[in-house]
Amino acid sequence: MIIGCEIGFWVLLGLGLATRYLWRMRRLSTALLVAVPLLDVILLAAAVIDIRGGAEANWRHGLAAGYLAYSIVFGHRTLRWADQRFAHRFAGGPPPWRPPPGGMARARYEWMMWLRTVLACAIAGVVLYGLAWLVGDWSRTTALLEFGGVLPRIVVISLLWPLSYTLFPKKVSEEAGVSGEHRVPGAPHSAPETAGSNGSVSSEGRVPGASEVSDPGVAGVSGVPRASGDPSAPEVADSNPASPGEAGVPHASTPETAGSKWIPRF
């Protein structure tokens, strides 16, 4: 029964996402995705019927309570995780969200995940003791109580992750695509002009002064600084073509891409 529900979980999840993004059947996909957590309710109900029918409780019945607790606390996150990756892979959706790579932002994320783990274990413990009370025969529900004794160990072991990221935070040298190299604004340097600067800083690192104005007559360039009244200044070819990620040009990871089938997450 447990194996069947586990297989059914992923089958319903895959069918729900396929009907949403590949076959464009949104109502049917919603019904399939809503049915995913119901499998855990069915599994728990089957465990209750089995124990009350005279069977002796074992770890499988305890695992049914664990599945239900996981669905309550992490079920929505699991659906969203799968939804983002399926939409990105098959429907031109944006790249899936990833947790912070390091620093205190990652530590806060790990603490939130640990608190969710504590909540899931608490729910599982309540369900386990509720099953034992419902059966009313403690001699046949010893395995449920033993399974409940494992839950505090899970809480303690999972505490290692937030503590490690808090006490030994991972240093992030590059964030948001910016390297760790720092320059003083306006300082001379020999590097070529950075793409996307639109001529605001010359290749010598000099900021245009008040006497420099934009010359709209330069071929193929708008807003290229040239000294006022200097006829000897050469005309500059367009050296800063628009990159694919700039405004006005749809990016492959955005929903506005032509032909995109991406649908916002539920």
Side-chain angles (χ1 to χ4, degrees), residues 62-76:
L63 194 59
Y67 274 130
L68 180 62
Y70 178 88
S71 294
I72 294 174
V73 179
F74 294 100
H76 181 71

Side-chain angles (χ1 to χ4, degrees), residues 36 115 252:
V36 170
L115 290 176

